[in-house]
Amino acid sequence: MRLLLATAGSRGDVEPFAALARRAMFEGHEVRLAAPDSSGVGLSGIDVVSMGVDYTRMIEEQGVSAWAAIRSFREVVRPTMHAVIVQTARAAMEYRPDVLISHPKVLSAPLVCEALGIPHVLVETVPSMTPTRAFPAAGTTTRNLGALNRLTYRAAGLSARMFRSDLTEVAGLVGATRRRPAPPAATLLPISPAILERPEDWPESVHLTGPWRTESADSTLREDVASFIAEGRFVYAGFGSMAAGDPSIRGREVLQGIRDRGSRALIATGLGGLRIGDDLLGDDVLVVPSVDHDLVLPHAEAAIHHGGIGTLQAATRAGAVSIVVPFIADQPFWGARLHERGLAPAPIPRRRLNAHHVGEALTDSTKYRHAVNVAAEVMSNEHGTAVAMEIIRQQADT
């Protein structure tokens, strides 16, 4: 089977696709991955074609906020989306896959699949495309609107209209008829049912597969991280690429909240999410750019993070209680879901982040440890990429 995987976004959008690519290669399939540059994800050994975009540089230059996206729409967002939409179409026409597996940002995927006569498998990295009454679309609101929840899923379709001219260009490039493309043959969500209960009103073609992750027996920790972990329990804190506001103030408050509780702190600075001044350093804190969550979080008593689904699932799978400080997009959704399922304290709004609220949440976190350990046991038996590949094979055979 010849597969083209296409994803767009930052590290959290690329990692699951890389894991799926490696699983497909392990099973003997031909795989090509269309992806952004400089995502920070290890892609060695994978046949990768560049989309010609760099989300990491975009984040470093303008940060992450809805206002930044609006302000830079014409100069940054539109050219980036044009590259994602058009370059994926070109990659597909050159590669001629049997199945195209795509991220929702790859708006051209349905047109390409129509032109090539192949199945389209949509990957909802967060639940924002398939309507349900159970909860609102991730990234819209955290309030349960009941029967009106389904209306929030129209937001994705409305945003696609902003790139209508790009899709018209793709239609001409691939020879699509520009009629309304068929829905995906299957929709995959690399999310654990321990985190998100499957709604009863989802179609049978929509699947919660469990997280997509790469099993690696060769992963090793940095010497300083390994030594720090060996000294005993600690609290992890990292906000990844959430470069918004003042990371130094944020770092000071987070570290003080951890210290006030008498805990040690392992801080990952990421792409500007946190910054720790030299005046705050001590034997009870280690500051690093990033860590391997799978190796570090099983040793942490709690994990303070932004609520991205990748970090959130890694923490829960490791048995570390999450303290979510959401910034943008789907993060408030996940913070709310985790709290509703009894797996974490209520999220801390970013503008209310201070040492007091951090310490309060850490104290509160002990009440959720048993439930998180139960969820971790469930997740330890999940094999998301294997489940996903079985579904993809079924589409290719129909």
Side-chain angles (χ1 to χ4, degrees):
M1 189 164 51
R2 194 173 173 88
L3 304 177
L4 177 63
L5 282 61
T7 186
S10 57
R11 182 175 191 134
D13 298 289
V14 178
E15 272 184 331
F17 278 79
L20 184 63
R22 294 191 188 280
R23 176 69 194 198
M25 292 164 59
F26 173 78
E27 293 187 6
H29 302 294
E30 293 182 63
V31 182
R32 180 168 290 177
L33 173 63
D37 300 329
S38 307
S39 67
V41 179
L43 300 177
S44 61
I46 301 175
D47 179 7
V48 179
V49 59
S50 171
M51 287 180 169
V53 297
D54 188 334
Y55 284 88
T56 299
R57 185 176 63 189
M58 187 191 310
I59 291 168
E60 290 173 339
E61 291 178 353
Q62 67 177 43
V64 289
S65 71
W67 171 242
I70 293 170
R71 189 178 59 226
S72 65
F73 182 80
R74 181 175 296 180
E75 294 79 14
V76 179
V77 176
R78 176 169 282 285
T80 297
M81 282 299 294
H82 179 270
V84 168
I85 291 168
V86 175
Q87 289 303 114
T88 299
R90 288 177 176 155
M93 298 309 288
E94 176 191 344
Y95 191 61
R96 300 280 169 163
D98 298 314
V99 183
L100 173 56
I101 302 107
S102 74
H103 187 284
K105 284 192 178 81
V106 185
L107 301 176
S108 52
L111 289 173
V112 169
C113 291
E114 175 196 319
L116 293 177
I118 62 173
H120 173 217
V121 175
L122 176 66
V123 178
E124 285 189 59
T125 49
V126 298
S128 59
M129 308 291 289
T130 305
T132 176
R133 296 183 187 88
F135 45 74
T140 56
T141 179
T142 57
R143 291 181 58 195
N144 190 328
L145 305 176
L148 297 179
N149 281 333
R150 294 181 67 90
L151 297 178
T152 63
Y153 291 83
R154 295 182 179 179
L158 293 173
S159 63
R161 294 181 185 178
M162 294 187 292
F163 306 101
R164 189 176 300 169
S165 62
D166 306 284
L167 294 173
T168 299
E169 180 181 342
V170 167
L173 176 68
V174 303
T177 62
R178 281 299 287 149
R179 60 179 168 78
R180 186 180 181 88
T187 298
L188 308 179
L189 290 91
I191 299 166
S192 172
I195 301 294
L196 184 74
E197 184 176 359
R198 189 187 192 281
E200 294 180 356
D201 58 351
W202 270 358
E204 291 184 3
S205 60
V206 181
H207 309 268
L208 283 176
T209 66
W212 298 352
R213 48 193 292 263
T214 302
E215 303 284 352
S216 175
D218 298 326
S219 295
T220 55
L221 287 168
R222 285 175 31 164
E223 185 177 343
D224 55 346
V225 175
S227 297
F228 187 82
I229 289 176
E231 292 172 9
R233 302 290 284 181
F234 59 92
V235 173
Y236 166 82
F239 295 141
S241 60
M242 296 300 104
D246 190 326
S248 296
I249 294 176
R250 197 157 51 237
R252 181 179 295 274
E253 294 297 328
V254 167
L255 180 55
Q256 189 59 54
I258 295 171
R259 280 176 164 161
D260 286 349
R261 190 174 174 271
S263 298
R264 299 187 309 137
L266 176 56
I267 308 289
T269 55
L271 293 179
L274 288 172
R275 185 179 300 143
I276 303 296
D278 291 344
D279 60 313
L280 298 177
L281 297 178
D283 293 339
D284 63 338
V285 59
L286 177 65
V287 180
V288 294
S290 63
V291 297
D292 184 322
H293 288 151
D294 288 339
L295 296 180
V296 167
L297 293 181
H299 305 280
E301 44 186 312
I304 304 170
H305 58 87
H306 53 299
I309 183 59
T311 308
L312 183 144
Q313 291 198 115
T316 306
R317 185 173 58 247
V321 178
S322 288
I323 295 169
V324 177
V325 184
F327 285 62
I328 58 169
D330 58 302
Q331 296 163 12
F333 173 89
W334 291 119
R337 294 285 83 72
L338 218 60
H339 182 55
E340 287 174 5
R341 298 210 70 172
L343 294 171
I348 303 174
R350 179 168 66 91
R351 298 189 183 282
R352 297 187 62 199
L353 178 64
N354 58 38
H356 171 73
H357 288 130
V358 169
E360 199 172 52
L362 285 171
T363 298
D364 198 28
S365 69
T366 57
K367 297 189 302 188
Y368 301 91
R369 193 155 293 146
H370 174 71
V372 170
N373 286 334
V374 171
E377 181 63 27
V378 171
M379 296 179 76
S380 69
N381 295 311
E382 293 175 339
H383 305 282
T385 54
V387 172
M389 282 306 305
E390 177 59 30
I391 296 166
I392 292 167
R393 278 194 299 272
Q394 292 171 6
Q395 305 314 311
D397 292 340
T398 56

